[in-house]
């Protein structure tokens, strides 16, 4: 895993003050996402993401997202879904998290040269078994897709997502922006129905009264559309 991300991680770390690098971590994120059209207006999405960490000695999370979408217009889709999110330490189960999520996605929000900007606003309610409280979180997200050549689908992909905690609980302890994810990758079709995306993601976590943390993740995602 370190081999996959070491070069990019090292370059990123050079730009971050030493006080902010108290807990850098090399990670690997493997994902799969299936999108199915249910008629003209409805969509079904099933996503699974497995996350592995050097600092946590292997598998630490398997995030499973089930969503139903309603296409309100050509570019706008409204989604409602549930997230089943078991957490692990070195592959050993530790705690179960459940989430309800509502989101609005806007495709083709703007054209910038050959590139296309899209956006998403996601609201989550989170519960952890054995811990009191409902944690509310807002996740604004923007993505820029730039084809390498006009008329071709292989593209450079840039994205940013912020995690904004709206309250505090026993497990959600930062009120305000808790972390951000910045990603760069390449997306390319493997067939008419399958697209692969490979890249690098930096997850920067803000730690109150302490040094911030950075996760450097190599990412690979397969998207299936039917």
């Amino acid at each position: 895993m370190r081999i996959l991300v070491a070069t990019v991680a090292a370059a990123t770390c050079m730009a971050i003050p030493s006080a902010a690098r108290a807990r850098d971590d090399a990670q690997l994120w493997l994902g799969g996402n299936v999108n199915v059209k249910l008629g003209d207006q409805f969509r079904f999405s099933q996503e699974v993401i497995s996350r592995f960490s050097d600092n946590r000695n292997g598998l630490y999370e398997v995030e499973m997202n089930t969503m139903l979408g309603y296409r309100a217009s050509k570019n706008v889709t409204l989604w409602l879904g549930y997230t089943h999110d078991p957490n692990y330490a070195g592959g050993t189960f530790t705690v179960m998290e459940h989430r309800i999520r509502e989101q609005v996605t806007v495709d083709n929000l703007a054209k910038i040269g050959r590139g296309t900007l899209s956006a998403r606003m996601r609201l989550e309610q989170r519960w952890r078994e054995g811990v009191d409280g409902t944690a509310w979180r807002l996740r604004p997200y923007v993505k820029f897709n730039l084809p390498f050549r006009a008329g071709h689908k292989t593209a450079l992909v840039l994205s940013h997502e912020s995690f904004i905690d709206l309250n505090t609980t026993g497990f959600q302890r930062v009120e305000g922006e808790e972390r951000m994810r910045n990603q760069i990758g390449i997306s390319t079709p493997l067939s008419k129905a399958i697209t692969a995306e490979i890249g690098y993601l930096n997850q920067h976590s803000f730690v109150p009264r302490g040094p911030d943390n950075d996760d450097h993740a190599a990412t690979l995602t397969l998207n299936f559309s039917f």
Side-chain angles (χ1 to χ4, degrees):
M1 195 187 316
R2 289 186 183 276
I3 295 175
L4 290 172
V5 298
T7 301
V8 180
T12 303
C13 289
M14 291 175 64
I16 302 172
S18 59
R21 290 189 275 120
R23 201 231 61 184
D24 279 19
D25 189 11
Q27 299 192 5
L28 175 65
W29 296 11
L30 302 176
N33 187 26
V34 178
N35 281 281
V36 180
K37 290 184 178 181
L38 304 176
D40 293 334
Q41 291 185 297
F42 288 93
R43 304 288 187 271
F44 173 80
S45 173
Q46 180 65 56
E47 179 184 40
V48 178
I49 307 170
S50 298
R51 297 186 173 104
F52 303 83
S53 160
D54 279 341
N55 288 358
R56 303 186 201 182
N57 300 314
L59 178 68
Y60 73 90
E61 185 177 31
V62 179
E63 182 179 319
M64 292 167 276
N65 303 300
T66 303
M67 304 282 289
L68 181 65
Y70 172 76
R71 193 178 183 188
S73 68
K74 181 180 179 181
N75 296 326
V76 178
T77 305
L78 309 177
W79 295 87
L80 176 65
Y82 164 72
T83 297
H84 189 76
D85 188 34
N87 286 242
Y88 302 86
T92 301
F93 173 77
T94 56
V95 67
M96 179 66 70
E97 179 167 310
H98 306 275
R99 305 175 192 166
I100 297 296
R101 59 172 49 169
E102 306 86 22
Q103 69 184 39
V104 179
T105 58
V106 183
D107 299 320
N108 301 313
L109 179 63
K111 290 285 290 184
I112 304 175
R114 291 198 312 269
T116 303
L117 188 69
S118 60
R120 179 188 72 210
M121 181 62 74
R122 174 178 293 166
L123 178 66
E124 293 182 324
Q125 300 84 54
R126 307 165 59 212
W127 301 270
R128 285 193 181 176
E129 294 181 2
V131 184
D132 292 335
T134 300
W136 291 73
R137 183 167 70 184
L138 197 63
R139 295 172 56 175
Y141 172 89
V142 292
K143 183 177 182 179
F144 183 64
N145 187 293
L146 179 65
F148 288 110
R149 290 193 295 166
H152 290 255
K153 293 186 177 181
T154 299
L156 175 70
V157 179
L158 304 171
S159 68
H160 168 84
E161 182 175 22
S162 286
F163 290 65
I164 302 172
D165 296 345
L166 302 179
N167 68 334
T168 58
T169 68
F171 62 94
Q172 181 168 281
R173 299 175 182 175
V174 179
E175 191 163 5
E177 187 166 14
E178 174 215 339
R179 63 181 127 148
M180 66 171 71
R181 291 175 180 172
N182 296 295
Q183 185 170 16
I184 181 170
I186 295 175
S187 174
T188 188
L190 301 181
S191 69
K192 184 177 179 180
I194 305 173
T195 301
E197 186 173 314
I198 186 170
Y200 162 76
L201 181 146
N202 173 262
Q203 178 170 255
H204 184 83
S205 299
F206 300 97
V207 180
R209 298 173 298 279
D212 294 347
N213 297 327
D214 280 280
D215 299 325
H216 307 281
T219 63
L220 174 62
T221 304
L222 294 179
N223 296 296
F224 300 83
S225 298
F226 302 98

